[in-house]
Amino acid sequence: MDTEAREILRLDLRSKSAGTGHLFQTLCVCALLVPLLTRPLFAQGAQSSAAPPYPSGKQGTTPVVKPSMKPQKDSVPAQSFPQESNLPQAKNQTPKSGESTPKGDDGTEKNDPVKKTVSSLILTVKLALLADPRLFPYEIDVEAASNDITLLGKVPAETEKAAAATVASAVPTVKSVTNKLEVTKELPEVLVQKQDDIITHHVKEQFAKSATVTAANFDVKTEQGVVSLSGAVRFQVIVLEAAEAARNVPGVKAVKTDKVRIESEG
C-alpha cells in the first residue's frame, strides 16, 4: 500500500515540474487507484470489517464458514399421511368380541378359510366295518346309491354276515342296506394261508439285514404262524441269529430250526 502511494506522489511531482495541467494529474491518480480498489486485499478488508467480533481466545484468525454440502430435506407436512381412521378396512378382518361372523346361505362363515368338509358315505361305512373285531379280518366292499348301501364280499359264517349289516345300518344317513355277502366256510383257512405268506415275506426281509444270515441262504416256510428254517451252516451261532430275527416279525408264534444242518469244515 505504501509503494502505490509513493508512486502517486512521484507522478504528481513530475506533472508539476513538467508544467502539465491539472487534468493530467487527475488521470494519473485514477489510473493508479482503480486497480488498487479492485484487488482482493481491499475486498477482504471490507469483508473483515463487516465480520462479527472474534470470540474470546481466538483473536487474530478469520473464521471461515464452509457451506454445507448436504442437501436440505424437504419438510413433510404433518397431515401428508392418511389417518388411521381413513384407512380401508381389511376384508377378512376378525370380528370384535360380541360381534357375530357373517354366514352364507349354507350356514358356513363367509370369512372362514377352511372349506366345507368332504366326506363319503362309502368310506364312512368301510371305517365302521374295520372298527368291528368280528369283521376286521375280512375284505368287505361297499357300494352306495344315494343313501342306499350294498355290501359285497366273503365272510366265513352267517354270524359275520348279519353283523356286517347291523354295523352298516347304524351309520348315520344310511337309509337301507342290501346284504350281498357270500358265506364261505373255507375262508378262515384261506386267510391263514395269506397271513403265513405275509409272515414269510417279512422274515426274509429281516434276514436280508444281516450279512451272515444272508450268506447262509436259509429256506423259510410258515404254517399257521410257525416259521421253519432249513439249510446248512458251519456255525450254530448263525442259526441262533436267524431265529432271533424271525421272532421279531409280528404274527410269528414259533421258530423251528431242527432241519438246519451244522457242517464241519472240509
Side-chain angles (χ1 to χ4, degrees):
M1 182 66 184
D2 296 339
T3 305
E4 285 78 0
R6 286 195 297 270
E7 185 68 21
I8 292 172
L9 294 176
R10 186 169 56 84
L11 291 176
D12 187 20
L13 294 176
R14 286 182 181 182
S15 62
K16 290 180 180 180
S17 59
T20 57
H22 181 69
L23 178 61
F24 178 77
Q25 179 182 359
T26 304
L27 291 175
C28 293
V29 172
C30 292
L32 292 174
L33 290 179
V34 169
L36 293 176
L37 294 176
T38 57
R39 288 184 181 181
L41 181 61
F42 286 91
Q44 183 177 0
Q47 291 180 0
S48 60
S49 62
Y54 294 105
S56 58
K58 297 184 179 179
Q59 295 183 0
T61 59
T62 303
V64 179
V65 180
K66 296 182 179 179
S68 177
M69 301 303 293
K70 295 183 179 179
Q72 297 294 331
K73 295 184 179 179
D74 296 335
S75 59
V76 181
Q79 300 296 330
S80 61
F81 297 99
Q83 299 297 326
E84 183 178 358
S85 58
N86 298 329
L87 294 177
Q89 300 294 330
K91 294 183 178 180
N92 296 330
Q93 184 178 7
T94 305
K96 298 179 181 180
S97 58
E99 296 181 358
S100 59
T101 304
K103 297 184 179 180
D105 297 336
D106 55 352
T108 58
E109 296 180 356
K110 292 183 179 180
N111 296 334
D112 190 1
V114 180
K115 301 299 181 180
K116 186 178 179 180
T117 304
V118 178
S119 60
S120 170
L121 183 59
I122 295 177
L123 298 180
T124 304
V125 174
K126 280 190 173 184
L127 291 173
L129 296 173
L130 290 173
D132 194 309
R134 299 169 296 176
L135 307 173
F136 179 79
Y138 313 115
E139 294 182 2
I140 300 176
D141 294 329
V142 180
E143 294 180 355
S146 184
N147 292 333
D148 299 327
I149 295 299
T150 301
L151 302 179
L152 303 171
K154 295 180 180 181
V155 291
E158 291 289 342
T159 305
E160 285 78 10
K161 182 177 180 178
T166 302
V167 172
S169 60
V171 174
T173 70
V174 172
K175 294 182 178 179
S176 63
V177 177
T178 302
N179 196 344
K180 292 185 178 182
L181 292 174
E182 181 182 352
V183 176
T184 305
K185 295 181 179 181
E186 296 82 10
L187 185 59
E189 288 77 10
V190 175
L191 295 177
V192 169
Q193 182 60 45
K194 183 178 180 180
Q195 183 66 23
D196 289 341
D197 294 340
I198 295 174
I199 291 175
T200 300
H201 175 73
H202 288 302
V203 169
K204 290 182 178 180
E205 285 184 343
Q206 289 291 329
F207 287 175
K209 297 179 181 180
S210 173
T212 55
V213 176
T214 301
N217 195 20
F218 290 107
D219 185 20
V220 183
K221 291 183 179 180
T222 306
E223 294 181 0
Q224 297 184 354
V226 178
V227 177
S228 298
L229 303 180
S230 59
V233 293
R234 290 178 54 192
F235 305 99
Q236 191 178 22
V237 68
I238 300 176
V239 182
L240 179 60
E241 183 180 354
E244 292 286 350
R247 186 178 65 174
N248 294 327
V249 175
V252 174
K253 299 178 180 179
V255 180
K256 293 183 177 181
T257 59
D258 55 327
K259 295 183 179 181
V260 178
R261 302 186 310 273
I262 306 298
E263 295 180 348
S264 58
E265 185 179 0

